[in-house]
Amino acid sequence: MPAGTLYRGREGMWSWVAHRVTGVLIFFFLFVHVLDTALVRVSPEDYDKVVSTYKTPIVALLEYGLVAAILFHALNGLRVIAVDFWSKGPRYQKQMLWSVVGIWVVLMIGALYPVLGHAFREVFGS
């Protein structure tokens, strides 16, 4: 496959950027998660305080963003694998990208209530 084939066109450029950005965001989440989990050994009281801040509506929105990042990164990663290892992959990369976006949107709509339901109930009452 010639150099640059995978990310040809405007859509390819944005998928490349989005893949890197979501990867970095997921890395930073994992870094913070390891740190806050390690806090339980140092100070269980401080750990409880940190975890209590995670139960706010703002953090629920951030959690939804995390789900969005992980889903896009995973689906786009499968597309990249298909482009790399399927002989017809480069020819269909644009269609596969739009399929990834469509599947991602459907899954994100499906994740609205499970991830944000508690936050909506807290803000608007049940």
Side-chain angles (χ1 to χ4, degrees):
M1 173 169 40
T5 302
L6 179 60
Y7 297 109
R8 206 176 274 163
R10 186 176 20 192
E11 297 91 354
M13 178 192 67
W14 284 113
S15 71
W16 183 88
V17 170
H19 199 73
R20 271 60 184 176
V21 168
T22 56
V24 169
L25 291 173
I26 294 165
F27 170 79
F28 281 118
F29 163 76
L30 290 173
F31 181 72
V32 169
H33 181 62
V34 167
L35 288 178
D36 71 9
T37 304
L39 188 60
V40 76
R41 288 200 164 269
V42 177
S43 172
E45 298 83 22
D46 288 336
Y47 173 79
D48 290 339
K49 289 178 192 173
V50 169
V51 169
S52 70
T53 65
Y54 292 164
K55 297 175 182 168
T56 65
I58 292 172
V59 174
L61 284 173
L62 292 172
E63 191 174 52
Y64 188 72
L66 176 64
V67 170
I70 291 170
L71 274 176
F72 179 81
H73 194 80
L75 293 169
N76 193 53
L78 292 173
R79 182 189 70 84
V80 169
I81 290 169
V83 170
D84 284 348
F85 293 105
W86 179 35
S87 63
K88 296 180 183 179
R91 185 179 322 151
Y92 294 109
Q93 65 179 321
K94 190 180 227 180
Q95 293 89 338
M96 287 190 291
L97 175 61
W98 287 112
S99 297
V100 162
V101 170
I103 293 167
W104 178 79
V105 166
V106 168
L107 291 174
M108 288 310 298
I109 290 169
L112 270 170
Y113 183 75
V115 177
L116 295 176
H118 173 71
F120 281 123
R121 286 188 300 279
E122 189 172 314
V123 171
F124 300 112
S126 36

